[in-house]
Amino acid sequence: MANVAVVGAQWGDEGKGKIVDWLSSRADVVVRFQGGHNAGHTLVINGTEHRLSLLPSGVVRPGKLAVIGNGVVIDPWALLAEIDGFADKGLAITPDNLMIAENATLILPIHGAVDRAREEACGDRKLGTTGRGIGPAYEDKVARRAIRVCDLADPQLLAERIDGILLHHNALLRGLGAPEIAAQTVADQLAEIAPRLLPFAGVVWQRLDADRRAGKRLLFEGAQGAMLDVDHGTYPFVTSSNTVAGQAATGSGMGPGAVGRVLGICKAYTTRVGAGPFPTELSDEIGARLGERGREFGTVTGRRRRCGWFDAVLVRQAVKVGGINGIALTKLDVLDGLSTLKVAVGYRLGDATLDHLPALPSAQAAVTPIYEEFDGWSASTRGARTWAQLPATAIKYIRRIEELIEAPVTLLSTSPERDDTIVVTDPFAD
């Protein structure tokens, strides 16, 4: 059986949580490989809503191992609060069902302070970060001054790491007129949480290699989406990590050949949160209707998502740079009742016609979409579990999307419930 990596093919919020949860019934191990607690997944199981931030989606299924890989930046307080929240619901998260990479980077309170102070200083030029310290933590990792999970076991090394981080970040806070943070405060905070966090730490790359050799099925869970990738997204309005499937290997300690099939998730329309270019954005009543029917609010932040027509140019680009083999199309039911639908099939930039989103920010902001129109459908698609339950015009819409993005729709989600899914091709099948 193949391993599978699940990645977003738009700007995140595509419904990866439900798809990963659905796939996890076929997997033995579910691995988060990038991002932080700014990425949220909502699962609806038997009518009960579960909101995940750092924990891999497979953690809600008994008998599965959930893994947080080295590519994730971890706010230990947020993680422990999430674990406690599940305990309150009767779901025990223990070292038996959760493993954290010992070499994963920690997010500290100073990272959040720096994140928020910088955003405030930017004024109208804000990037739209969540202010949770994700970016500054990744910066520390690349600058080789980060505190990692394993460092909590070595007090002397930890003290040196704290001094190094504060030397850099306190200077920045001072320059921005924000309060500085004392080394002893950080040391006390980490000393308090270390006994709870360290039992989850382990050699993730070694465990995953052993599981793979034993024939276990691995499911790699991405956060955000391809258009938020720090290299391939709408820079600088992106996240601070690589979100495409190549990161599944480096963010978990596996070789590229072990990742297997790549499943991209995208909505039947388009959304994004925060600032940045959005060629197909709708600021009219249709955009408002998509947002209302799709419940387009961030799982973690509660921020309203911007909504627009499906952008085949962006998704095709995500398919190419992300190595996507097939698409899981979600929220088709949100389009029910619209008489006419539009899909962007290209862009105009001045006198030029483009088949991709350019890298230059000013060009990204200036492109206008070239649309192809489709007849909508009045019948409900919500809860459909077979093609026969879909209106003919909905099937036509899906087939044209496949042609435009140059990838097949292998799964179709018709509601937040895990079983309201049409399976065209099992992603785990060889």
Side-chain angles (χ1 to χ4, degrees), residues 68-87:
I68 299 177
N70 57 276
V72 178
V73 286
I74 301 170
D75 182 321
W77 296 274
L79 176 60
L80 293 172
E82 196 170 341
I83 289 172
D84 291 342
F86 273 91

Side-chain angles (χ1 to χ4, degrees), residues 77-343:
W77 296 274
L79 176 60
L80 293 172
E82 196 170 341
I83 289 172
D84 291 342
F86 273 91
D88 292 340
K89 294 182 178 180
L91 179 62
I93 309 296
T94 72
D96 293 328
N97 59 6
L98 174 66
M99 188 177 194
I100 300 172
E102 61 179 359
N103 54 336
T105 294
L106 295 179
I107 301 173
L108 307 180
I110 195 168
H111 292 129
V114 167
D115 203 354
R116 294 184 293 273
R118 288 197 305 208
E119 279 285 271
E120 185 65 28
C122 285
D124 294 338
R125 295 178 291 108
K126 287 183 174 69
L127 291 177
T129 75
T130 60
R132 293 168 180 258
I134 313 298
Y138 272 118
E139 290 171 30
D140 280 351
K141 177 179 179 178
V142 175
R144 296 164 294 183
R145 58 173 171 260
I147 293 175
R148 304 188 299 172
V149 174
C150 57
D151 297 339
L152 297 178
D154 186 337
Q156 182 176 345
L157 174 64
L158 185 60
E160 295 172 2
R161 291 273 194 264
I162 291 172
D163 287 342
I165 279 184
L166 295 183
L167 177 66
H168 175 81
H169 288 302
N170 272 339
L172 183 56
L173 290 173
R174 191 182 314 122
L176 293 172
E180 298 181 40
I181 296 179
Q184 190 60 51
T185 299
V186 179
D188 291 344
Q189 291 170 333
L190 291 176
E192 183 180 358
I193 57 96
R196 291 196 62 193
L197 192 67
L198 283 173
F200 293 98
V203 187
V204 159
W205 66 265
Q206 193 174 62
R207 173 62 186 268
L208 294 180
D209 180 65
D211 286 344
R212 180 183 64 85
R213 290 176 179 275
K216 293 186 177 181
R217 302 172 194 164
L218 309 182
L219 179 60
F220 299 91
E221 177 185 6
Q224 290 102 16
M227 289 301 111
L228 291 175
D229 185 279
V230 69
D231 287 306
H232 300 290
T234 48
Y235 190 92
F237 301 98
V238 294
T239 193
S240 300
S241 61
N242 289 109
T243 61
V244 295
Q247 179 64 18
T250 55
S252 65
M254 301 291 289
V259 172
R261 186 170 286 117
V262 181
L263 180 66
I265 317 297
C266 65
K267 291 174 182 171
Y269 51 101
T270 309
T271 65
R272 84 169 296 174
V273 172
F278 187 170
T280 65
E281 183 173 10
L282 296 171
S283 300
D284 56 13
E285 61 182 28
I286 295 178
R289 171 177 171 157
L290 293 175
E292 183 178 341
R293 293 200 62 186
R295 299 177 64 187
E296 297 299 350
F297 298 91
T299 300
V300 172
T301 64
R303 293 187 294 178
R304 182 184 294 274
R305 298 174 187 142
R306 301 152 64 191
C307 298
W309 294 120
F310 187 87
D311 193 331
V313 184
L314 285 185
V315 177
R316 182 173 62 243
Q317 193 163 323
V319 167
K320 303 298 184 184
V321 302
I324 291 172
N325 304 116
I327 288 289
L329 191 67
T330 67
K331 293 198 171 185
L332 182 70
D333 58 298
V334 175
L335 301 181
D336 292 353
L338 291 173
S339 59
T340 302
L341 305 175
K342 295 182 181 181
V343 171

